[in-house]
Amino acid sequence: MKKIITLFALIFSSICFGQNNYSEIDAIVKSAIDSYSKETDELKFLKIVKNKFDKSVKLSKDDFTKDNVGIAFVISKGDEKPTIAPAKFSYDNEKVNISAMNAKEADIQDYVQKYLHTIETIGSTNLFRKMMLAEFEAEGNYVENKTEIAVDEPLSLSFVRGNSDWMYIVSIDNQYDSYPNPRIIIYAFKISISGEDIFNAGNSMGNIEDRRLKLIASEKAESNKFPLYHDVRTDEIRDGLAEIITIEPYKSDKLLIQSFEKLNEPITRYNIKDYVEEFKFLLSSAISKKELEKHVKPFNNEEVFNVKHLAAHALADFYFGKEQYENAIEYYKKSIFEFPYEESSGTGVVQDAERIIYDIAKSNYYFGKNNEAYGFLIGLIIDSQRNHELATKTINEYLKAEKEDKKKLKKDIDKALKTIKKGKNYTCTFTFRDKEIFFFPMMPASQKEYEKSFKESEFYKSL
């Protein structure tokens, strides 16, 4: 994972924690905010957060001890306007770290705009997942008073307030009384997925829950067209390649570099169509896991090891959206067997494979290959970490639509269960109606155990 460097590290200082009440610095903070002569959007949003902080009470301990991502307003006298940056709050072993973050300018702008205007979509940004996974050494100590929690760090002193929806923090240089213009940072961290949207309060955009429900409905409507549906992971192809082309022998590969340079915008489900040839070239390139491991530690930079997997999955998604189901199936299978997903968590690998298998089942059904579709859904019912119910619901819908004879189906399933055996790449296979089907077991078991478990399922009993 490419490291996100801290813009302003706010960590516990050596002062004796004598200044543990916000009231002692309030005049300094107000003076710094009042020093801005121009009423910019950045200043407007800063004042909203400061006003919320003033009216809030001490944050509950439960909310204070949760890692979170938010937004930071950096105040510096002499600047034309406050600087807005992504922010991370970390709590670990009774210690705290509060950091404003630095990254690519385009990624920062995307994150900030979404956090301020459509916070329910923040998970789609390039930075969200990286920030959630980013780890910082938490060294800040804290104490509680009647009105806030005070955090003392090597470079700053911070005061934390909030409610069930938001956490607000005001931070200042810990030697502020020695500086004529101490640096001040004011933070806002959304705690709940619903509740008040402080940046859009008072207008039609103000109810986060209503917007979130509309977003979910929209996502469901588009899910058949865009089954991959995780823009952040798709765009990691660019991040992975950006690092790969700094490593020999790839930094001397002119064609690979030229292909990377064409990926000049965030890659989403909507613009995959513009990069089909680049993704195909990437799959045919000489990039290998063995060579990468000489330079990059596995799982520290997942996007480096998963560029081919994500490209194959994205191509499958592209062909699915174009209703070219035979091509979609081909690339879904490539993403599993030729370019398998790399992650330190076996759970994550199986989840990824199960999602792909479900898409293979849908692609087969839409392509008119009903038996293959049934087979892959049966595989998910045999042993699935989280898609058992979805597979059951889908196969029942297909069987009803096709008016399948359930007695014959039961007989064919009984025959198929006897053929379960170990396959390649940690899969198991079985033969259903002369078609070889594979599934990814979370915990390998014997053929008899799989058969027994399946026959206890609600789906099998319904036959």
Side-chain angles (χ1 to χ4, degrees):
M1 180 71 63
K2 185 178 295 182
K3 294 181 180 178
I4 307 176
I5 60 173
T6 52
L7 179 59
F8 309 102
L10 304 173
I11 313 174
F12 201 122
S13 74
S14 59
I15 62 175
C16 297
F17 227 163
Q19 306 97 327
N20 58 8
N21 285 281
Y22 171 73
S23 59
E24 297 174 16
I25 66 165
D26 184 54
I28 299 174
V29 175
K30 286 181 178 177
S31 174
I33 294 174
D34 290 342
S35 69
Y36 292 110
S37 58
K38 188 177 180 181
E39 189 70 20
T40 62
D41 286 341
E42 291 83 357
L43 181 59
K44 179 185 74 173
F45 289 128
L46 166 62
K47 288 181 176 179
I48 288 173
V49 177
K50 176 57 168 60
N51 183 55
K52 291 293 183 181
F53 175 87
D54 290 341
K55 294 180 179 180
S56 294
V57 296
K58 182 171 64 179
L59 190 70
S60 74
K61 191 69 177 293
D62 285 344
D63 290 326
F64 178 73
T65 57
K66 296 176 182 176
D67 286 6
N68 205 341
V69 295
I71 201 163
F73 297 84
V74 184
I75 303 172
S76 183
K77 285 186 178 181
D79 290 349
E80 183 179 335
K81 59 187 178 181
T83 299
I84 308 180
K88 174 77 182 279
F89 179 92
S90 303
Y91 182 94
D92 182 38
N93 195 27
E94 296 292 319
K95 300 283 188 178
V96 176
N97 177 280
I98 311 165
S99 299
M101 314 290 291
N102 191 18
K104 296 176 183 177
E105 183 62 29
D107 288 346
I108 290 177
Q109 289 181 5
D110 183 41
Y111 179 95
V112 168
Q113 285 299 307
K114 284 185 168 63
Y115 211 97
L116 291 174
H117 299 290
T118 54
I119 196 170
E120 69 279 5
T121 68
I122 196 65
S124 70
T125 63
N126 291 342
L127 284 183
F128 179 80
R129 181 174 178 275
K130 291 183 179 181
M131 289 174 63
M132 290 300 293
L133 293 175
E135 295 183 2
F136 299 101
E137 186 177 5
E139 297 180 318
N141 293 320
Y142 64 92
V143 296
E144 300 182 48
N145 59 44
K146 290 183 179 180
T147 54
E148 64 255 340
I149 300 172
V151 181
D152 197 4
E153 310 179 79
L155 299 179
S156 68
L157 184 65
S158 303
F159 300 93
V160 184
R161 297 179 183 175
N163 52 45
S164 59
D165 288 333
W166 289 87
M167 174 169 65
Y168 307 107
I169 302 175
V170 177
S171 295
I172 193 169
D173 286 330
N174 59 20
Q175 301 294 331
Y176 64 87
D177 52 356
S178 302
Y179 302 142
N181 297 311
R183 185 177 296 279
I184 298 167
I185 306 179
I186 298 182
Y187 298 88
F189 295 90
K190 189 75 175 72
I191 294 173
S192 65
I193 61 172
S194 56
E196 181 188 17
D197 183 349
I198 61 172
F199 299 114
N200 291 287
N203 61 37
S204 59
M205 295 281 288
N207 192 313
I208 296 176
E209 183 66 9
D210 285 349
R211 298 198 321 250
R212 191 175 69 85
L213 292 175
K214 288 179 181 178
L215 179 65
I216 291 172
S218 174
E219 289 176 352
K220 287 181 177 179
E222 293 194 74
S223 62
N224 274 345
K225 189 173 182 182
F226 302 107
L228 177 60
Y229 214 66
H230 50 281
D231 289 354
V232 176
R233 297 311 310 273
T234 307
D235 196 48
E236 283 183 10
I237 296 169
R238 290 193 307 151
D239 291 337
L241 276 177
E243 185 151 349
I244 288 171
I245 60 175
T246 67
I247 299 170
E248 286 289 7
Y250 310 116
K251 69 180 183 181
S252 301
D253 189 331
K254 293 182 179 179
L255 291 178
L256 183 63
I257 293 171
Q258 288 174 5
S259 181
F260 166 72
E261 290 173 346
K262 293 178 181 178
L263 306 178
N264 55 6
E265 64 176 331
I267 301 167
T268 73
R269 60 189 181 277
Y270 300 107
N271 64 7
I272 289 173
K273 60 181 173 52
D274 298 327
Y275 303 104
V276 170
E277 294 308 314
E278 283 69 36
F279 289 172
K280 286 183 177 180
F281 172 78
L282 174 58
L283 295 183
S284 68
S285 71
I287 297 172
S288 71
K289 178 182 177 182
K290 184 177 180 180
E291 193 66 38
L292 291 173
E293 285 178 340
K294 295 178 183 178
H295 306 275
V296 183
K297 290 184 178 181
F299 313 127
N300 286 354
N301 297 63
E302 288 177 9
E303 66 268 32
V304 170
F305 291 93
N306 283 316
V307 289
K308 288 192 175 185
H309 172 83
L310 292 171
H313 201 163
L315 285 169
D317 217 33
F318 164 74
Y319 285 119
F320 187 100
K322 296 284 287 184
E323 299 182 5
Q324 297 178 19
Y325 301 116
E326 189 170 19
N327 289 335
I329 294 167
E330 175 190 355
Y331 281 97
Y332 282 134
K333 289 183 177 180
K334 282 180 180 290
S335 71
I336 288 180
F337 294 109
E338 294 184 38
F339 315 110
Y341 183 57
E342 300 284 345
E343 188 183 81
S344 56
S345 166
T347 300
V349 172
V350 173
Q351 288 177 357
D352 184 78
E354 285 185 3
R355 183 175 64 248
I356 293 170
I357 288 172
Y358 181 72
D359 290 340
I360 289 173
K362 288 197 301 181
S363 298
N364 273 297
Y365 183 72
Y366 296 149
F367 192 45
K369 293 186 174 183
N370 294 351
N371 291 333
E372 285 89 338
Y374 302 155
F376 283 107
L377 293 171
I378 289 167
L380 288 173
I381 298 172
I382 291 174
D383 188 357
S384 172
Q385 183 178 334
R386 58 167 54 188
N387 289 297
H388 182 281
E389 292 183 2
L390 176 61
T392 300
K393 177 177 179 291
T394 303
I395 194 171
N396 281 329
E397 290 173 352
Y398 291 173
L399 295 175
K400 183 178 180 181
E402 302 302 322
K403 298 179 180 179
E404 286 285 339
D405 183 337
K406 289 192 174 183
K407 288 184 178 180
K408 184 178 185 308
L409 178 66
K410 181 177 180 295
K411 183 178 178 181
D412 292 337
I413 290 176
D414 287 340
K415 182 179 177 181
L417 294 174
K418 300 292 184 185
T419 69
I420 296 176
K421 61 182 180 181
K422 188 180 295 184
K424 62 181 180 179
N425 281 33
Y426 307 104
T427 65
C428 285
T429 68
F430 62 94
T431 302
F432 174 75
R433 293 181 176 175
D434 298 323
K435 311 298 181 184
E436 184 175 76
I437 306 298
F438 61 87
F439 65 95
F440 270 79
M442 184 62 196
M443 295 295 291
S446 68
Q447 178 273 323
K448 290 184 182 284
E449 288 173 315
Y450 285 130
E451 181 177 8
K452 180 177 181 293
S453 175
F454 186 85
K455 288 185 174 180
E456 292 174 352
S457 69
E458 292 300 318
F459 171 72
Y460 185 81
K461 292 176 181 178
S462 73
L463 299 177

